[in-house]
């Protein structure tokens, strides 16, 4: 009988990197979880699930660059988190450093904090989707 991915993962491996992430977020200013939800274009309950060791929900690798950036991981924190993440998900390959350039987009103030957060989330999601599309095209080119 074939083993499932969950049975191949060390039992506490996902919880280990989630404990580290929760500890890092707890040391950050209040509102970090909400900013993370907005940046990932997800609701706050998703952030609760990916930061709580009680939930088995793994953190998608595609979200890690935003998490590292928004939560201001130190080099040591990033190294430890990456080590724990690789232990939990041995088949996922994480880049040492994201291969991308930072850019700033000035968004208008819509006069309402909820609308501002939604606009930020939409623009962030749009940019991530474009980056994934480019990345997918590059991967297809390598396979040809």
């Amino acid at each position: 009988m074939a083993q499932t991915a969950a049975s191949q993962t060390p039992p506490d491996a996902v919880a280990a990197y989630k404990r580290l992430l929760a500890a890092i977020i707890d040391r950050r200013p209040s509102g970090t979880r909400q900013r993370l939800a907005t940046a990932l274009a997800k609701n706050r309950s998703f952030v609760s699930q990916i930061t709580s060791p009680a939930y088995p929900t793994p953190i998608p690798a595609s979200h890690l660059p935003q998490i590292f950036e928004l939560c201001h991981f130190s080099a040591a924190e990033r190294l430890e988190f990456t080590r724990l993440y690789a232990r939990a998900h041995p088949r996922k390959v994480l880049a040492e450093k994201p291969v991308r350039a930072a850019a700033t987009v000035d968004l208008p103030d819509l006069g309402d904090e909820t609308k501002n957060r939604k606009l930020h989330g939409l623009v962030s999601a749009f940019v991530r989707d474009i980056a994934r599309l480019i990345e997918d095209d590059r991967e297809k080119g390598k396979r040809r």
Side-chain angles (χ1 to χ4, degrees):
M1 178 190 273
Q3 289 184 323
T4 64
S7 67
Q8 294 172 353
T9 300
D12 203 28
V14 172
Y17 70 72
K18 286 182 167 199
R19 275 192 294 278
L20 178 59
L21 176 59
I24 290 168
I25 289 176
D26 287 345
R27 292 191 302 266
R28 301 304 180 250
S30 82
T32 298
R33 282 182 170 80
Q34 181 58 55
R35 285 190 296 281
L36 191 53
T38 301
L40 297 175
K42 301 289 185 184
N43 59 39
R44 203 174 142 133
S45 67
F46 175 79
V47 173
S48 293
Q49 288 181 9
I50 66 168
T51 58
S52 173
Y55 291 101
T57 307
I59 298 175
S62 62
H63 292 331
L64 295 181
Q66 291 92 353
I67 291 170
F68 292 154
E69 185 178 318
L70 192 90
C71 297
H72 305 287
F73 273 56
S74 69
E77 289 168 336
R78 182 181 169 131
L79 186 65
E80 179 62 8
F81 183 92
T82 303
R83 184 187 70 75
L84 293 170
Y85 192 90
R87 180 174 164 247
H89 310 292
R91 290 193 171 119
K92 299 232 187 241
V93 177
L94 302 177
E96 282 300 308
K97 291 186 178 179
V99 182
R100 61 186 179 131
T104 301
V105 177
D106 292 322
L107 300 174
D109 183 353
L110 301 177
D112 177 275
E113 190 56 35
T114 302
K115 287 181 181 178
N116 287 340
R117 278 195 306 269
K118 186 169 185 171
L119 177 61
H120 183 273
L122 290 169
V123 171
S124 296
F126 177 69
V127 171
R128 274 194 310 279
D129 288 346
I130 290 171
R132 280 191 203 114
L133 187 64
I134 292 167
E135 200 172 291
D136 289 347
D137 284 348
R138 285 182 184 159
E139 288 300 314
K140 286 179 187 173
K142 288 179 185 176
R143 287 181 265 175
R144 289 184 186 161

